[in-house]
Amino acid sequence: MAVTLEQAQKVGYTCLKALLRFAFMVANNLVAIPSYVLYLIVLQPLRILDSKSFWYIEGVLFKWLLAMVASWGWWAGYTVVEWGDDVKAVSEDEAMVLVNHQATGDVCTLMMCLQDKGTVVRQMMWLMDHIFKYTNFGIVSLIHGDFFIRQGRTHRDQQLVLLKDHLEKYYRSRNRKWIVLFPEGGFLRKRRETSQAFAKKNNLPFLKHVTLPRLGATQVILKTLVAPQENGTPSGGDAVRKESKSKGLQWVIDTTIAYPKGEPIDIQTWILGYRQPAVTHVHYRIFPVKDVPAEPEALTNWLYQRFIEKEDLLTHFYETGAFPPPRGQTKAISREMTLSNLWLVAIQSFAFLSGGMWYCLFQYLYHCLF
């Protein structure tokens, strides 16, 4: 079939736009990430004298870096609409966030939609596959204190011990409040067949839009971060009470990401922007940690139930284009998540100005020394 001039122009424009976006992303990384590292090197004396202030500054810089990643998708028209509970109400409390995992774009989506949730982004810890340690963002995550977990049965027990040690060493000492993990342990397309076979063997529900979650990391986090008096015993409180100030992990936020037509956005699309603008939908449901069982078998059943509910949510979304209303209500309310273009430009400008400042400083030192 012959290609028309209009089609050729459209393809050419898309390729040119993708090339320019990629060039900008590379430049952005080349100035922003080294600047983040250099600022923190210079601030090491502050870390010794006032650790709390040091990690506060690190958190602000970390949030700005994640905002830069969010801006790549935002300016390409990849926006977010939120449903369910309002997580801003518990943004100052400690929470564990459970997320379904479909593609690399899930992380970018979370980086975007959590930007307007108070101090969450600068005080959060991520659990991610160890392969991300070797990406351009790996050095940032290492400094911030995120945990890189190795998948596979041979590494499982050792990784859980390392996770416990990591949480005890870094979580509270760096004033972390939210911890984000993907309990499925991998992308949907890679784990679905294995999960369905396991479900059939063990008389569990057949899931298409999610996979059965793994217990290990969730159990370690609950055992390590939940205050003893709360784990499995009533402590009072409502999932939307902002004034709750009890120590330890207080909430579990069940987060479900849905893409239009079930077509996930990956990191390549996020960077190059060759896909048409799309709205990603994110559904939240908040559980008080006192309602989460501590015993392994009961916790496994509870976690399975969350992903069975995710399956129902996603099935409804793909059939209707919207999430169902909460129980007892007749209408589901959505909220369009927005970012300030002025704020994003200011952060990007700061990154490039910082890169220029460090370059001039090193040039000056080089000429002084040599």
Side-chain angles (χ1 to χ4, degrees), residues 120 270 360:
V120 164
W270 195 269
C360 292

Side-chain angles (χ1 to χ4, degrees), residues 19 27 71 135 166 260 263 273 298 319 331 357:
L19 182 62
S71 72
T135 66
H166 185 89
E263 299 174 356
E319 290 175 352
K331 184 178 180 181
M357 178 194 73

Side-chain angles (χ1 to χ4, degrees), residues 96-98 127 149 160 163 167 179 181-184 213-226 249 252 292-293 299-300 302-303 307:
M96 176 173 63
V97 184
L98 307 176
L127 264 66
I149 190 165
L160 295 179
L163 173 59
L167 293 173
I179 183 164
L181 69 154
F182 301 92
E184 291 165 293
R214 294 170 176 174
L215 177 67
T218 304
Q219 186 177 32
V220 169
I221 291 168
L222 290 171
K223 280 188 175 181
T224 308
L225 300 183
V226 174
L249 203 69
V252 176
V292 181
L299 178 58
T300 299
W302 184 90
L303 198 57
F307 277 77

Side-chain angles (χ1 to χ4, degrees), residues 64-270:
W64 290 355
L65 282 177
L66 267 59
M68 293 176 202
V69 176
S71 72
W72 304 341
W74 180 258
W75 288 333
Y78 305 142
T79 57
V80 172
V81 167
E82 298 176 310
W83 304 73
D85 295 333
D86 183 5
V87 295
K88 286 183 180 179
V90 298
S91 62
E92 296 301 316
D93 298 332
E94 290 188 26
M96 176 173 63
V97 184
L98 307 176
V99 192
N100 61 313
H101 208 9
Q102 301 173 70
T104 48
D106 298 341
V107 175
C108 300
T109 297
L110 290 173
M111 287 180 178
M112 175 185 287
C113 64
L114 296 180
Q115 282 291 323
D116 68 342
K117 307 299 186 293
T119 62
V120 164
V121 174
R122 65 178 178 83
Q123 292 182 290
M124 74 194 319
M125 178 181 286
W126 297 76
L127 264 66
M128 58 188 76
D129 192 279
H130 80 287
I131 196 68
F132 286 100
K133 185 189 296 186
Y134 307 104
T135 66
N136 60 312
F137 214 77
I139 183 64
V140 174
S141 291
L142 280 170
I143 293 173
H144 184 69
D146 297 328
F147 184 76
F148 299 94
I149 190 165
R150 284 182 174 271
Q151 303 295 342
R153 188 173 301 174
T154 56
H155 302 290
R156 190 170 301 161
D157 292 340
Q158 180 193 29
Q159 289 299 297
L160 295 179
V161 172
L162 292 175
L163 173 59
K164 182 178 185 298
D165 293 342
H166 185 89
L167 293 173
E168 291 175 343
K169 186 175 182 180
Y170 297 117
Y171 190 82
R172 297 257 158 69
S173 67
R174 299 186 182 184
N175 196 28
R176 301 295 174 242
K177 289 192 174 181
W178 281 28
I179 183 164
V180 181
L181 69 154
F182 301 92
E184 291 165 293
F187 297 141
L188 174 64
R189 67 180 186 276
K190 293 183 177 181
R191 291 208 62 243
R192 179 159 40 200
E193 187 175 339
T194 302
S195 175
Q196 290 173 346
F198 177 84
K200 183 177 181 180
K201 182 179 179 181
N202 292 275
N203 197 29
L204 294 167
F206 184 85
L207 307 177
K208 297 189 298 181
H209 305 305
V210 295
T211 65
L212 290 170
R214 294 170 176 174
L215 177 67
T218 304
Q219 186 177 32
V220 169
I221 291 168
L222 290 171
K223 280 188 175 181
T224 308
L225 300 183
V226 174
Q229 70 272 16
E230 287 188 2
N231 197 1
T233 61
S235 61
D238 188 299
V240 294
R241 279 180 54 190
K242 189 174 181 178
E243 61 269 20
S244 176
K245 297 296 180 183
S246 59
K247 293 181 180 180
L249 203 69
Q250 298 167 59
W251 315 108
V252 176
I253 303 175
D254 188 29
T255 304
T256 305
I257 299 176
Y259 295 98
K261 300 179 181 179
E263 299 174 356
I265 298 175
D266 55 27
I267 186 65
Q268 298 95 317
T269 306
W270 195 269

